[in-house]
Amino acid sequence: MQNCIFCKISAHEVVSDIVAEDADVIVFKDIHPKAETHWLIVPKKHIHSVSAVESSDWPLVASVIKKAADVAKEKGLAGYKLVFNVGREGGQMVDHLHLHLLAGGKVELP
Amino acid sequence: MQNCIFCKISAHEVVSDIVAEDADVIVFKDIHPKAETHWLIVPKKHIHSVSAVESSDWPLVASVIKKAADVAKEKGLAGYKLVFNVGREGGQMVDHLHLHLLAGGKVELP
């Protein structure tokens, strides 16, 4: 989607600090970290929000969570929090579905 | 699973303040709320954690998130946060996968 920063990051049109990537999902570091480790796990396909997932896209949402768990294991994280902010009143700042992974140090709400 | 409080709640062997329920997922109020609205969305099948999901159970994890979004919409929540705590160091207190939904008032990390 035009003018979507996470679409641009997914397409490598905007540089990010990439942690992992496959055909469907990209993982990169949050530029305003709320914990020692703070990644964003993002489907490359533009989905607006958890509140606006089409039936056919739920497997992709599951892939986002699986990717978080897989990369956390690869990187040896002992424990972590996964957070979806939904809607402005839920703290969602970018209208492209994304999962926060937070671990280590003083963890704050994203 | 024997001695699992969330299995007992799912089987209605332990009373909870149920918000919604279907064949696979139950939604009930957290007894130690960290926000005005604080629900737990729990698959009835015992899955230990997000870090221990079998391949065949990822659709069920997607159903947990879909259920949260559907019930939030039904109840008219404007925005909310969804949180999985993974592992003790991630704040997971019950070893049966569960999703926190937090909305309204001063929201604290679960």
Side-chain angles (χ1 to χ4, degrees):
Chain A
M1 183 171 279
Q2 241 181 340
N3 297 324
C4 170
I5 181 69
F6 288 175
C7 283
K8 287 180 179 171
I9 287 174
S10 295
H12 299 182
E13 290 167 19
V14 166
V15 171
S16 68
D17 194 344
I18 296 174
V19 178
E21 185 175 8
D22 62 29
D24 299 319
V25 179
I26 188 165
V27 184
F28 53 92
K29 294 183 183 173
D30 194 300
I31 55 170
H32 300 296
K34 303 286 192 189
E36 215 168 276
T37 300
H38 186 177
W39 304 334
L40 298 177
I41 302 95
V42 176
K44 292 185 177 181
K45 178 176 176 178
H46 187 87
I47 299 173
H48 185 84
S49 173
V50 168
S51 62
V53 177
E54 303 283 343
S55 304
S56 56
D57 283 331
W58 283 108
L60 178 55
V61 176
S63 296
V64 165
I65 299 164
K66 184 175 187 309
K67 191 72 183 177
D70 287 350
V71 179
K73 192 175 181 181
E74 275 169 37
K75 301 289 184 186
L77 297 183
Y80 50 92
K81 292 176 185 291
L82 299 177
V83 181
F84 284 117
N85 291 335
V86 186
R88 285 289 172 278
E89 294 194 33
Q92 185 175 354
M93 304 300 281
V94 174
D95 289 334
H96 180 135
L97 184 149
H98 54 285
L99 180 65
H100 297 263
L101 180 147
L102 303 141
K106 185 175 160 11
V107 174
E108 292 171 60
L109 270 172
Chain B
M1 183 171 278
Q2 240 182 340
N3 296 323
C4 170
I5 182 70
F6 288 174
C7 283
K8 288 180 179 170
I9 287 174
S10 295
H12 299 182
E13 290 168 17
V14 167
V15 171
S16 67
D17 194 343
I18 296 173
V19 177
E21 185 175 9
D22 62 28
D24 299 318
V25 179
I26 187 165
V27 184
F28 54 93
K29 293 183 183 173
D30 194 300
I31 55 169
H32 300 296
K34 304 287 192 189
E36 215 169 278
T37 300
H38 186 176
W39 305 333
L40 298 177
I41 302 96
V42 176
K44 291 186 177 180
K45 177 176 177 180
H46 187 88
I47 298 173
H48 185 84
S49 173
V50 168
S51 62
V53 177
E54 302 283 342
S55 304
S56 56
D57 283 331
W58 282 108
L60 178 55
V61 176
S63 297
V64 165
I65 299 164
K66 184 176 188 309
K67 190 74 184 176
D70 288 350
V71 180
K73 192 174 181 182
E74 275 169 38
K75 302 290 183 185
L77 297 183
Y80 51 91
K81 290 175 186 289
L82 299 177
V83 181
F84 284 117
N85 291 333
V86 187
R88 284 289 172 280
E89 294 193 33
Q92 186 175 353
M93 305 300 281
V94 175
D95 289 334
H96 180 135
L97 183 149
H98 54 286
L99 180 65
H100 297 264
L101 180 147
L102 302 140
K106 183 177 160 11
V107 173
E108 292 171 61
L109 269 172

